[in-house]
Amino acid sequence: MKLQFDRNLLEKYNIAGPRYTSYPPATFFHEEYGNENYKESVILSNDETPENVSVYVHIPFCPQLCTFCGCTTYTGMGQSTIEKYIDVLIKEIELVSKDVSKDRKLTQVHWGGGTPNAISAKLIRRVTDTIKANFNFADEYEMAMECSPAYLDFNMVDELRDMGFNRISLGVQDFKKEVLTAINRRPAKVPVGEMIAYLKKVGFSGINIDLVYGLPFQTQESFRETVAEALAANPDRLVTFSYAHIPQVISRQRMLEQYGLPTPDEKITMLEDAYNMAIEAGYVAIGMDHFAKPDDEFAIALEQKKLHRNFQGYCTRETTGQVYGFGTSSISQLFNAYSQNEKTIKKYMERVEADGRAVVRGYRLNQKEQIVRQVINELMCNYYADFRQIAADFSVETDEVYAAVEFAEEKVQSFIDDGLLTIENDAFTVIGQGRYVIRNIAMAFDPALKQGKGQYSKTV
């Protein structure tokens, strides 16, 4: 069924709000939470759920900085600095992993950045070998890397496969030279279609292409051509991210204003086209902006209402674990707490060398916040939150779930009136175009939002 957005509806709900990659959002993290708190949280996590372990590795280096990007990255670093960073990263992994029970299985490793595939295979192997030596890998695990196609060739793919990597995400963003030049990004080293065919040939799965809409020089027609080229490459998954222009937070984004940016209505049209083209090509819509083939584990998990996500993106309940982050700016997502490392390379390396950890801030959750987190996560991922089931998960009464989210019918009445949400037998179901204002719906279940911490991008 072809999607056409109700422009009045989207305009009504297009306000600033959290992205809810965590709950509470990272704007609530505070500096009173430090190294010793994190050590305690890691030890506690061994007796909490999920039992599985996920590892995130942050490589903050980029050969050149993309002007649209909001990640913690650095360019112009010499090889000696990169090698020293890897030495320190390994030290952090070795120390923190001592507090993670070897009875637990590691099911997910995710490398992000920066541009992880821009450092040498030799350095990647050193870190990978360290992870293998210090964690107990499950028989079925996912080891993924976010890669820039500009620095990925067949030799690097072979090296990664030999190390045990089995999934790759290609940050294409756009195929048009004019757009890539404006955002200071190089084109693919190997044509993306050829690269995906080779990845599949050597055993990679869950391969996805990331696109971004809302960038300079993008038009409805040009983005349609980009989406068509991406679909022709036949990835397992396709992602169409909305560019969030927040130059007051990310100063380098101001450079894009000299070219002009698509209007909100033009961005909505791009999303509409991407949705319709992906569905017509046989993909299933996942979340606000992801698409997966029907036999992909994400599509299956959504159908079973078992889709999950963390700071690294969507995952299934089978593959997800509590996340232990390593490297500059990395965030650990444990059941009981969040923890973030120092953002600058210098401070991160100094602190790890001195103490083995480099926590700069974090947040400890109480049970009420854990309940709210699960409600919001279920809505964001599965468009469905069963308060009775959530109550059972926490061994509390259903009324306590309503109390935790400070539920009031007037908070959701407009979504009900607009045909975006239904309530039946303590279960909340997002319907129709509700998935495209899902951040707004989640905000209605967020009692912390009234504290007004942080600056957020628009929800649509």
Side-chain angles (χ1 to χ4, degrees), residues 192-377:
V192 172
E194 292 180 25
M195 177 55 70
I196 288 180
Y198 188 76
L199 286 167
K200 291 181 178 181
K201 177 183 175 182
V202 298
F204 283 80
S205 61
I207 304 161
N208 73 281
I209 289 178
D210 290 347
L211 303 178
V212 176
Y213 62 93
L215 297 173
F217 300 115
Q218 285 180 332
T219 65
Q220 179 182 7
E221 185 55 35
S222 79
F223 195 65
R224 281 182 60 86
E225 291 172 356
T226 283
V227 172
E229 189 169 346
L231 291 171
N234 197 29
D236 300 307
R237 302 165 187 167
L238 175 69
V239 186
T240 55
F241 290 117
S242 170
Y243 167 59
H245 189 61
I246 43 175
Q248 67 275 19
V249 178
I250 305 165
S251 59
R252 62 175 171 259
Q253 291 185 345
R254 289 194 180 93
M255 298 174 65
L256 301 183
E257 295 174 356
Q258 64 183 305
Y259 306 113
L261 295 166
T263 66
D265 190 64
E266 287 171 332
K267 286 182 67 178
I268 290 170
T269 301
M270 292 177 195
L271 177 57
E272 253 176 8
D273 287 343
Y275 177 96
N276 291 324
M277 291 172 70
I279 298 303
E280 187 176 332
Y283 288 75
V284 175
I286 307 287
M288 292 176 63
D289 42 29
H290 286 56
F291 304 91
K293 290 188 174 181
D295 58 352
D296 185 87
E297 62 179 359
F298 282 3
I300 295 169
L302 176 61
E303 186 177 0
Q304 297 174 346
K305 296 184 171 58
K306 291 182 178 180
L307 194 64
H308 190 71
R309 71 177 196 161
N310 52 36
F311 275 112
Q312 286 74 64
Y314 286 104
C315 50
T316 69
R317 287 183 184 160
E318 284 71 27
T319 58
T320 191
Q322 296 183 71
V323 180
Y324 302 81
F326 299 100
T328 57
S329 78
S330 66
I331 295 177
S332 297
Q333 286 181 286
L334 309 182
F335 182 79
N336 67 80
Y338 301 111
S339 165
Q340 184 170 27
N341 278 347
E342 292 278 3
K343 288 190 174 184
T344 69
I345 293 176
K346 183 174 184 294
K347 286 185 178 180
Y348 165 76
M349 293 198 298
E350 287 175 349
R351 291 193 59 195
V352 172
E353 287 184 316
D355 194 33
R357 298 176 183 83
V359 175
V360 67
R361 61 184 189 143
Y363 191 87
R364 181 72 186 270
L365 286 81
N366 58 36
Q367 188 184 62
K368 174 184 173 182
E369 290 165 329
Q370 291 164 354
I371 292 172
V372 175
R373 174 176 61 188
Q374 185 162 334
V375 169
I376 289 177
N377 191 69

Side-chain angles (χ1 to χ4, degrees), residues 11 24 107 123 236:
E11 184 176 346
T107 53
L123 294 179
D236 300 307

Side-chain angles (χ1 to χ4, degrees), residues 96-283:
V96 173
S97 63
K98 289 179 181 178
D99 292 323
V100 179
S101 171
K102 297 302 182 287
D103 293 334
R104 300 169 62 198
K105 298 287 188 180
L106 186 150
T107 53
Q108 185 183 48
V109 182
H110 189 99
W111 289 58
T115 310
N117 64 304
I119 67 172
S120 71
K122 179 181 177 181
L123 294 179
I124 295 170
R125 190 180 293 274
R126 284 189 62 208
V127 178
T128 300
D129 286 347
T130 301
I131 295 171
K132 290 177 179 178
N134 288 277
F135 292 94
N136 184 12
F137 272 63
D139 292 336
E140 297 292 329
Y141 69 88
E142 174 185 285
M143 187 146 66
M145 180 177 284
E146 297 174 12
C147 291
S148 168
Y151 313 101
L152 189 66
D153 57 23
F154 297 146
N155 288 334
M156 175 60 89
V157 169
D158 290 342
E159 291 270 15
L160 294 175
R161 191 72 187 101
D162 184 63
M163 295 177 212
F165 284 86
N166 51 24
R167 185 174 164 253
I168 278 181
S169 172
L170 296 173
V172 172
Q173 321 312 0
D174 198 291
F175 288 103
K176 304 297 183 183
K177 184 177 179 181
E178 189 177 33
V179 177
L180 294 176
T181 300
I183 63 175
N184 197 37
R185 193 171 181 87
R186 297 179 187 176
K189 193 172 186 178
V190 175
V192 172
E194 292 180 25
M195 177 55 70
I196 288 180
Y198 188 76
L199 286 167
K200 291 181 178 181
K201 177 183 175 182
V202 298
F204 283 80
S205 61
I207 304 161
N208 73 281
I209 289 178
D210 290 347
L211 303 178
V212 176
Y213 62 93
L215 297 173
F217 300 115
Q218 285 180 332
T219 65
Q220 179 182 7
E221 185 55 35
S222 79
F223 195 65
R224 281 182 60 86
E225 291 172 356
T226 283
V227 172
E229 189 169 346
L231 291 171
N234 197 29
D236 300 307
R237 302 165 187 167
L238 175 69
V239 186
T240 55
F241 290 117
S242 170
Y243 167 59
H245 189 61
I246 43 175
Q248 67 275 19
V249 178
I250 305 165
S251 59
R252 62 175 171 259
Q253 291 185 345
R254 289 194 180 93
M255 298 174 65
L256 301 183
E257 295 174 356
Q258 64 183 305
Y259 306 113
L261 295 166
T263 66
D265 190 64
E266 287 171 332
K267 286 182 67 178
I268 290 170
T269 301
M270 292 177 195
L271 177 57
E272 253 176 8
D273 287 343
Y275 177 96
N276 291 324
M277 291 172 70
I279 298 303
E280 187 176 332
Y283 288 75

